[in-house]
Amino acid sequence: MKHREASQPAAPPLPELTERLRRQSRKVTGPRQAILDLMRGRHGPLSIREIHAALPPGDCDLATVYRSIHLLENMGMVKRFDLGDGSARFELLSEGDDGHHHHLVCTRCSIVIKLPDCFPREWEARIAAESGFTGVTHHLEFFGVCPRCKKG
């Protein structure tokens, strides 16, 4: 998938990311460092296969990428997204970022745009009050045809 950002904050420096691993008693292995460095330079969610394909040949095998991404997800360093194509995608998170945001995905070319806005928390509170649910949150992605595909 291709990605485009709407005002993306700068990715955390690699030393900050590796320090987060150390603080949680995790080793800073070569493959983990390569994956973090790759994800720092990419905007938008990537699948495990996309991550593996973008790494230099021989840096790490696909199983290592799977294990590393799932470790990073459990540590809160990456967030999983489902953009409707049957493949989990992952984005790098800055420390303290819960990763809550939404995407707009073109159904023709698969370009992904990170949306800067979210629904007001008051909507969640109103839905909770009206339904009797607690801990209401949401997960929402938008799909459509981008301007470039619309022209073609």
Side-chain angles (χ1 to χ4, degrees):
M1 280 195 169
K2 302 168 200 136
H3 310 282
R4 191 166 53 203
E5 289 295 316
S7 67
Q8 166 74 11
L14 189 57
E16 179 184 314
L17 293 169
T18 57
E19 179 57 30
R20 287 171 66 187
L21 283 169
R22 286 186 187 98
R23 278 198 317 259
Q24 294 190 37
S25 301
R26 302 297 182 175
K27 290 182 181 178
V28 181
T29 64
R32 288 176 188 167
Q33 193 165 352
I35 290 166
L36 288 170
D37 197 35
L38 170 74
M39 292 184 80
R40 282 184 68 253
R42 302 287 176 102
H43 298 295
L46 298 169
S47 72
I48 288 175
R49 290 194 180 277
E50 287 172 327
I51 293 167
H52 180 254
L55 292 170
D59 264 18
C60 60
D61 60 24
L62 187 58
T64 300
V65 176
Y66 271 98
R67 285 192 305 271
S68 296
I69 288 296
H70 290 294
L71 170 73
L72 296 170
E73 180 183 18
N74 290 336
M75 292 176 63
M77 293 180 69
V78 299
K79 181 170 182 176
R80 176 189 302 250
F81 289 94
D82 175 7
L83 300 180
D85 64 355
S87 179
R89 298 187 179 278
F90 300 87
E91 277 185 337
L92 186 62
L93 299 177
S94 297
E95 194 158 20
D97 179 6
D98 69 357
H100 184 89
H101 60 269
H102 307 286
H103 299 98
L104 177 58
V105 181
C106 179
T107 55
R108 291 191 186 159
C109 71
S110 300
I111 192 166
V112 178
I113 299 173
K114 182 176 174 181
L115 300 175
D117 298 318
C118 186
F119 293 105
R121 297 278 182 209
E122 297 81 36
W123 289 13
E124 290 175 349
R126 187 183 80 216
I127 290 168
E130 291 174 359
S131 66
F133 279 56
T134 58
V136 173
T137 186
H138 66 275
H139 174 85
L140 182 64
E141 306 301 344
F142 296 89
F143 299 87
V145 178
C146 72
R148 190 182 67 190
C149 289
K150 183 179 170 185
K151 288 180 186 176

